[in-house]
Amino acid sequence: MSEREKVGSAQAEWLAEDGQKARRSRGSKGAGAGEKCWRLAAHKEARVWQGERAKVKRSCPPCGPEPGSGGKKGRGNPVSVQLFPPELVEHIISFLPVRDIVALGQTCRYFQEVCDAEGVWRRICRRLSPRLREQGAGARPWKRAAILNYTKGLYFQAFGGRRRCLSKSVAPLLAHGYRRFLPTKDHVFILDYAGTLFFLKNALVSSTLGQIQWKRACRYVILCRGAKDFASDPRSDTVYRKYLYVLATREQPGGVGGPGGRACDCVEVYLQSSGQRVFKMTFHYSMRFKQIVLVGQETQRALLLLTEEGKIYSLVVNETQLDQPRSYTVQLALRKVSRCLPHLRVARMASNQSSTLYITDQGGVYFEVHTPGVYRDLFGTLHAFDPLDQQMPLALSLPAKILFCALGYNHLGLVDEFGRIFMQGNNRYGQLGTGDKMDRGEPTQVHYLQCPIALWCGLNHSLVLSQSSDFSKELLGCGCGAGGRLPGWPKGSASFVKLHVKVPLCACSLCSTRECLYMLSSHDIEHRPTYRDLPASRATGTSESSVGTGTSQDPGGAAQACEEYLSQIHSCPTLQDRMEKMKEIVGWMPLLAAQKDFFWEALNMLQRAAGGGGPGPAPPES
């Protein structure tokens, strides 16, 4: 028998015997799935191994019956998979899909080590992204790259029209994962982890109402390389996003008799409709920036640039003159938050058309508000507003370190290191999710939500991307539901409710416009949620009060509210009115989204049984 035939026979014997051994030793569901994946891949590789493509490096050593087994009649000697060459095992596993490799690695310690080998992930990464030849530094560069490219995707759900399902846009083959995205008036821009900015062109179709709306991103081009960050008009309506500002690094030619070219940061301005560059400003090579945001109107557009040292610089540009072919100099100045508070090191920024929010590396939050109307909505008063000094930073009083935030037109959301969500600002449509429609001039905790993956604040509604205990994700929303912006809740809700959206398994960020809901999917194994456990002294006892109020919500207050609810139900004249009032009260109460769905469905069932009619009405507006 030839050497190849020996190996092929050994593989067939192992497939017959080792499968039963694995089922006897493990017996778990994950083990069965991993064993099935291994069997299919081994059958495929056995055929390849016996053909002309494979070469046997060394023969499989003979293996007799296992000690204590006593042998079995009519069956060959069992062969352990550990006797196969490691290169062969890794080569076989690399043919499996990523999902099956993860399942196989959970079966036993041996397969966990093999499936976690960098050689396996290098082959998978080259299969997913053939043009990705090298990887940067990191603990597991090839595994991180493979998972980034396997999970990348941009999903959307249009609010108008008859189709109410989640769709997926075209995926650029050259993209190394998805890091950020931004929808504009006509198209979508995506930044990958390699610094390449992609321009996804959308297919425009006519709707039944005669409006022009995009159906999906049908093709893509590379807008530029070496990009660090990008931004556009911060208003919620994409109609205003005419230009795209890109923060990038470019190699500049060296001077006469001087050193060679140096890498300098610059800001390039592109037309969103065509991708044509219309303006460029270059900074000194000693200045290194990492984030850019915009604030203000078109004629006085302020560009805020965050340096790697945590300082904020700003410059003013008139957008109405960007398309004119002329050259002029703009002045870069240190922002007041960095000039008056030089000890602060800003970690990230957020902005809208009339305010800016800064988060420091220590978790502190500072605010700039430029208009009196927004100041009144956010803080409930104009006592400290100075129209002559709009850049004066205001510190927010918070109980813990803030990790990230979301800034809407006149309300905001903050997430601290313990995973708690705090909302503040205008609550006319219930966009704070507190169960009522009372404005909040200070950060107020939403007690029934914790550990969000992403938070987004729009014009008059808010969205939260959360993860359940079985690692499935769901999308929650509150506020105004007009125009379909809260799928499944056309009347809106004053509490966060579960939206009728199928969320991708690896969704990490979201954005909502007037026409569409977007979700970005890309899993990075090096950037996981870093929420801490709340100390026992702060986790036990009664629920915490609103920050800065100094009053606690004791059980007596909750009992008084329940008595008030009962009196309202008792005052209803008919059973139908009592059912409707109970649904409304459920919307007010700070319950989990699943609990509210349960109570509403149970009330609908009782109402149908009592009335003997058809399906009950939809859950009421809270």
Side-chain angles (χ1 to χ4, degrees), residues 439-451:
D439 296 345
R440 299 295 197 279
E442 295 178 344
T444 303
Q445 183 181 353
V446 182
H447 292 282
Y448 56 93
L449 286 181
Q450 273 191 335
C451 301

Side-chain angles (χ1 to χ4, degrees), residues 98-118:
V98 176
R99 185 188 299 269
D100 295 338
I101 290 178
V102 175
L104 183 63
Q106 298 174 352
T107 56
C108 66
R109 184 178 300 176
Y110 172 75
F111 278 125
Q112 181 181 5
E113 295 176 357
V114 174
C115 294
D116 201 42
E118 277 291 277

Side-chain angles (χ1 to χ4, degrees), residues 512-531:
S512 179
T513 64
R514 181 180 295 180
E515 300 85 10
C516 197
L517 170 68
Y518 300 86
M519 282 181 286
L520 187 72
S521 171
S522 187
H523 179 66
D524 189 358
I525 61 176
E526 291 187 357
H527 296 84
R528 299 178 180 178
T530 55
Y531 293 127

Side-chain angles (χ1 to χ4, degrees), residues 263-332:
C264 299
D265 286 352
C266 63
V267 173
E268 298 175 342
V269 185
Y270 296 85
L271 276 172
Q272 70 86 26
S273 58
S274 61
Q276 178 186 0
R277 193 179 76 181
V278 297
F279 190 76
K280 179 180 179 180
M281 58 189 85
T282 305
F283 308 106
H284 194 264
Y285 67 88
S286 62
M287 304 189 71
R288 290 286 183 264
F289 302 102
K290 64 179 182 179
Q291 188 183 1
I292 178 175
V293 298
L294 307 182
V295 65
Q297 302 298 326
E298 291 86 350
T299 56
Q300 290 289 325
R301 182 76 72 197
L303 278 68
L304 304 185
L305 298 165
L306 174 62
T307 66
E308 295 179 354
E309 292 79 18
K311 302 298 181 182
I312 307 294
Y313 287 86
S314 65
L315 57 93
V316 179
V317 174
N318 187 355
E319 277 191 359
T320 60
Q321 300 178 357
L322 287 179
D323 53 354
Q324 300 178 6
R326 66 190 186 92
S327 176
Y328 61 92
T329 302
V330 293
Q331 183 179 2
L332 190 66

Side-chain angles (χ1 to χ4, degrees), residues 273-585:
S273 58
S274 61
Q276 178 186 0
R277 193 179 76 181
V278 297
F279 190 76
K280 179 180 179 180
M281 58 189 85
T282 305
F283 308 106
H284 194 264
Y285 67 88
S286 62
M287 304 189 71
R288 290 286 183 264
F289 302 102
K290 64 179 182 179
Q291 188 183 1
I292 178 175
V293 298
L294 307 182
V295 65
Q297 302 298 326
E298 291 86 350
T299 56
Q300 290 289 325
R301 182 76 72 197
L303 278 68
L304 304 185
L305 298 165
L306 174 62
T307 66
E308 295 179 354
E309 292 79 18
K311 302 298 181 182
I312 307 294
Y313 287 86
S314 65
L315 57 93
V316 179
V317 174
N318 187 355
E319 277 191 359
T320 60
Q321 300 178 357
L322 287 179
D323 53 354
Q324 300 178 6
R326 66 190 186 92
S327 176
Y328 61 92
T329 302
V330 293
Q331 183 179 2
L332 190 66
L334 193 65
R335 198 73 171 177
K336 191 166 187 176
V337 64
S338 297
R339 190 171 65 250
C340 297
L341 303 173
H343 61 283
L344 293 181
R345 184 184 177 94
V346 180
R348 64 177 64 190
M349 304 181 293
S351 69
N352 59 22
Q353 63 267 38
S354 58
S355 57
T356 310
L357 188 145
Y358 307 106
I359 300 180
T360 66
D361 58 347
Q362 300 298 324
V365 178
Y366 292 84
F367 227 127
E368 286 182 14
V369 184
H370 305 153
T371 59
V374 175
Y375 190 96
R376 184 187 293 108
D377 287 336
L378 289 173
F379 298 100
T381 179
L382 289 175
H383 178 68
F385 179 74
D386 186 1
L388 302 179
D389 191 9
Q390 299 176 357
Q391 294 187 13
M392 176 59 68
L394 305 171
L396 295 184
S397 177
L398 293 160
K401 178 180 178 181
I402 297 300
L403 297 183
F404 61 93
C405 68
L407 185 59
Y409 172 67
N410 52 12
H411 75 289
L412 62 97
L414 304 168
V415 180
D416 69 356
E417 58 183 336
F418 303 113
R420 297 175 297 181
I421 299 178
F422 296 90
M423 306 294 291
Q424 177 181 344
N426 186 285
N427 198 24
R428 184 178 304 170
Y429 298 92
Q431 60 262 43
L432 301 185
T434 54
D436 52 37
K437 295 184 179 180
M438 298 174 56
D439 296 345
R440 299 295 197 279
E442 295 178 344
T444 303
Q445 183 181 353
V446 182
H447 292 282
Y448 56 93
L449 286 181
Q450 273 191 335
C451 301
I453 298 175
L455 177 64
W456 189 87
C457 293
L459 181 64
N460 47 29
H461 72 293
S462 304
L463 301 176
V464 169
L465 182 63
S466 64
Q467 180 172 285
S468 57
S469 57
D470 59 349
F471 299 102
S472 63
K473 293 181 173 61
E474 59 184 11
L475 187 62
L476 308 175
C478 66
C480 179
R485 65 191 67 184
L486 296 181
W489 301 84
K491 294 183 179 180
S493 173
S495 303
F496 280 98
V497 291
K498 184 178 179 181
L499 304 183
H500 296 178
V501 177
K502 184 179 180 181
V503 182
L505 184 62
C506 297
C508 60
S509 63
L510 69 155
C511 174
S512 179
T513 64
R514 181 180 295 180
E515 300 85 10
C516 197
L517 170 68
Y518 300 86
M519 282 181 286
L520 187 72
S521 171
S522 187
H523 179 66
D524 189 358
I525 61 176
E526 291 187 357
H527 296 84
R528 299 178 180 178
T530 55
Y531 293 127
R532 297 171 51 195
D533 293 331
L534 194 65
S537 59
R538 301 170 66 178
T540 57
T542 60
S543 58
E544 296 186 34
S545 62
S546 300
V547 180
T549 59
T551 59
S552 61
Q553 299 176 355
D554 54 1
Q560 183 178 0
C562 292
E563 292 178 1
E564 177 65 24
Y565 294 154
L566 286 175
S567 63
Q568 293 179 15
I569 296 174
H570 183 72
S571 62
C572 296
T574 63
L575 178 61
Q576 180 76 15
D577 294 338
R578 291 183 179 181
M579 287 286 188
E580 296 298 332
K581 176 59 68 174
M582 185 61 190
K583 292 179 184 179
E584 186 178 355
I585 291 173

Side-chain angles (χ1 to χ4, degrees), residues 104-315:
L104 183 63
Q106 298 174 352
T107 56
C108 66
R109 184 178 300 176
Y110 172 75
F111 278 125
Q112 181 181 5
E113 295 176 357
V114 174
C115 294
D116 201 42
E118 277 291 277
V120 174
W121 292 105
R122 183 175 62 253
R123 295 187 183 96
I124 296 173
C125 186
R126 288 178 176 175
R127 187 177 73 239
L128 295 174
S129 300
R131 302 189 183 186
L132 186 63
R133 298 300 179 185
E134 297 181 358
Q135 259 306 96
R140 305 300 307 277
W142 287 109
K143 182 177 181 180
R144 177 174 180 258
I147 294 179
L148 278 175
N149 289 280
Y150 176 74
T151 57
K152 68 181 180 182
L154 179 63
Y155 300 85
F156 63 90
Q157 179 169 328
F159 295 143
R162 298 181 179 180
R163 293 190 61 186
R164 297 297 178 91
C165 59
L166 204 64
S167 304
K168 186 176 182 181
S169 66
V170 62
L173 297 177
L174 301 178
H176 179 38
Y178 290 164
R179 190 171 66 179
R180 270 201 61 202
F181 79 104
L182 178 69
T184 58
K185 179 182 178 181
D186 305 311
H187 309 292
V188 180
F189 295 87
I190 294 182
L191 179 65
D192 70 351
Y193 282 83
T196 305
L197 186 59
F198 292 90
F199 177 28
L200 274 64
K201 297 185 177 182
N202 298 325
L204 298 178
V205 295
S206 298
S207 65
T208 55
L209 300 178
Q211 301 174 351
I212 299 297
Q213 62 181 7
W214 67 274
K215 184 177 181 181
R216 71 183 188 92
C218 59
R219 55 196 177 96
Y220 68 92
V221 295
I222 295 178
L223 187 69
C224 67
R225 300 182 186 273
K228 293 183 176 181
D229 194 17
F230 62 100
S232 186
D233 191 294
R235 281 173 280 194
S236 299
D237 196 344
T238 57
V239 175
Y240 300 106
R241 296 174 184 174
K242 181 179 179 181
Y243 294 101
L244 186 76
Y245 294 77
V246 180
L247 176 64
T249 301
R250 296 287 180 261
E251 194 76 17
Q252 300 297 325
V256 179
R262 289 176 172 174
C264 299
D265 286 352
C266 63
V267 173
E268 298 175 342
V269 185
Y270 296 85
L271 276 172
Q272 70 86 26
S273 58
S274 61
Q276 178 186 0
R277 193 179 76 181
V278 297
F279 190 76
K280 179 180 179 180
M281 58 189 85
T282 305
F283 308 106
H284 194 264
Y285 67 88
S286 62
M287 304 189 71
R288 290 286 183 264
F289 302 102
K290 64 179 182 179
Q291 188 183 1
I292 178 175
V293 298
L294 307 182
V295 65
Q297 302 298 326
E298 291 86 350
T299 56
Q300 290 289 325
R301 182 76 72 197
L303 278 68
L304 304 185
L305 298 165
L306 174 62
T307 66
E308 295 179 354
E309 292 79 18
K311 302 298 181 182
I312 307 294
Y313 287 86
S314 65
L315 57 93

